Amino acid sequence: MKLYRLLTEDDTSAFCHKVSEALSKGWELYGDPTYAFDASNGVMRCGQAVTKEVKGSYSPDMKLGAQ
């Protein structure tokens, strides 16, 4: 089964660390990163989709970050 996550964060090193941590846990980049202005908070935001192949069946109760 393939899992999907969309990682988001303000445009700081925290975003790079979040993506790097996911990669170190076996997640793979999926598509291009995204970058947009969050007008309500006045900051730039980053996003990156990642996927991971795991055993078992999908459940909406899964904690994807723990995979």
Side-chain angles (χ1 to χ4, degrees):
M1 160 186 62
K2 187 173 274 195
L3 299 178
Y4 172 90
R5 292 174 65 194
L6 179 62
L7 306 174
T8 62
E9 185 68 51
D10 289 350
D11 182 22
T12 67
S13 63
F15 175 73
C16 296
H17 288 288
K18 186 182 278 190
V19 174
S20 295
E21 179 182 21
L23 294 174
S24 75
K25 292 181 176 182
W27 291 84
E28 297 180 6
L29 299 177
Y30 181 83
D32 295 328
T34 186
Y35 192 64
F37 183 67
D38 178 349
S40 63
N41 292 310
V43 297
M44 293 301 291
R45 302 267 305 161
C46 300
Q48 174 65 57
V50 293
T51 61
K52 184 177 184 180
E53 194 70 38
V54 298
K55 294 180 182 178
S57 300
Y58 173 74
S59 166
D61 298 327
M62 294 176 86
K63 301 293 183 199
L64 297 177
Q67 297 295 319

